[in-house]
Amino acid sequence: LHLFSFLDKNSRKNLAKTCHKLLEVFEDPLLWPLLNFHSPVELKKDNFLLGPALKYLSICWYSERVKVCNIEDWMKNSFQRDFCNRHENTVRDFLLQVCNRCPNLLSLTLSGCGHVTDDSILLLLRSCPKLRTLKLENCVRITDRSLQAVTLHGGALHTLHVDFCRNITQAGLQRVREQCPSVMLRAERSANMIPDSQPDKKLRLERASRKLVEL
């Protein structure tokens, strides 16, 4: 186990193929308290083990392709939709496995995961009651519903980051500050960014504002 701990996921898998004894080491849950992924593709590989020993999980995608996922759905062209369809549910399905297998998770970091929704965060908070750190960065589908889930189910949370999440509002952040004063909250740029809004919604808002001005 000590020797395996120095190897990356691929090296561990390759070494496990050499004999049954090393395969047993690879499958030992104690080898997998920490998992780091750098793209959705890595989540589909069989070079790691998900289990109750997992405490620290990070999925950080910094590729230029993240920009495509961050485009509002109603603005995407057919090529962009096709690209997103290939991995739209990958992170969501993986987090569902985490909810089912990793009740002792202490820390989760998601960066550039443009298709992660509030439902995934809500389920995770319910399934992993020991979660102490939740860091969300550039997750464009995350809204105030996730913040509400934190106030209801994040009893063990000490740290919450929602950086560059454009659909987070100041009202949602204030609610967390009031109801969870012990949580270290950081929201860099989130509530100051322009939230998603389809053109017809914008027109309705503009008309409503004009009416208010006239009154």
Side-chain angles (χ1 to χ4, degrees):
L1 279 172
H2 181 64
L3 292 174
F4 265 78
S5 68
F6 290 96
L7 304 177
D8 60 29
K9 295 189 289 294
N10 283 331
S11 298
R12 291 177 182 182
K13 183 65 177 181
N14 290 333
L15 187 57
K17 294 177 180 178
T18 59
C19 75
H20 293 296
K21 196 66 179 177
L22 292 180
L23 178 60
E24 289 179 11
V25 178
F26 176 84
E27 294 176 345
D28 192 323
L30 294 178
L31 183 62
W32 303 100
L34 169 67
L35 282 173
N36 293 314
F37 299 95
H38 303 289
S39 76
V41 176
E42 294 183 15
L43 302 176
K44 296 183 177 181
K45 295 183 178 180
D46 62 346
N47 58 1
F48 61 89
L49 185 72
L50 277 182
L54 181 64
K55 294 183 178 180
Y56 305 94
L57 172 62
S58 172
I59 306 173
C60 296
W61 194 23
Y62 296 117
S63 167
E64 285 293 313
R65 298 177 180 180
V66 173
K67 293 180 180 178
V68 176
C69 300
N70 285 346
I71 298 173
E72 294 91 330
D73 290 339
W74 55 273
M75 289 185 64
K76 289 176 183 173
N77 58 39
S78 58
F79 172 78
Q80 292 166 334
R81 288 194 188 95
D82 289 341
F83 170 77
C84 288
N85 286 340
R86 297 173 199 165
H87 62 267
E88 183 171 5
N89 298 324
T90 302
V91 178
R92 184 202 66 180
D93 293 344
F94 181 80
L95 290 179
L96 181 59
Q97 294 182 53
V98 171
C99 292
N100 293 330
R101 303 180 189 178
C102 312
N104 299 312
L105 189 68
L106 298 178
S107 174
L108 172 66
T109 299
L110 300 177
S111 180
C113 299
H115 299 295
V116 171
T117 65
D118 296 317
D119 290 335
S120 296
I121 300 301
L122 171 60
L123 183 59
L124 188 114
L125 287 168
R126 285 177 173 174
S127 305
C128 305
K130 299 179 182 179
L131 193 69
R132 295 168 58 89
T133 300
L134 177 60
K135 296 182 179 180
L136 306 174
E137 179 188 53
N138 205 13
C139 296
V140 296
R141 294 194 181 183
I142 296 301
T143 72
D144 287 356
R145 285 185 59 218
S146 288
L147 299 183
Q148 184 179 20
V150 166
T151 63
L152 295 174
H153 308 288
L157 268 186
H158 285 191
T159 302
L160 173 64
H161 292 181
V162 281
D163 298 333
F164 297 92
C165 298
R166 65 173 176 251
N167 288 300
I168 293 292
T169 69
Q170 287 289 0
L173 295 172
Q174 186 58 33
R175 189 178 301 113
V176 173
R177 293 189 182 99
E178 292 173 355
Q179 299 184 19
C180 307
S182 61
V183 173
M184 295 178 60
L185 176 63
R186 190 181 80 180
E188 186 178 348
R189 295 287 299 277
S190 288
N192 297 323
M193 300 176 76
I194 301 174
D196 295 345
S197 180
Q198 293 188 25
D200 59 336
K201 292 182 181 178
K202 289 180 180 177
L203 285 174
R204 288 199 298 269
L205 288 172
E206 288 172 2
R207 288 171 185 167
S209 336
R210 284 198 294 268
K211 287 181 180 178
L212 286 173
V213 171
E214 290 170 2
L215 292 173

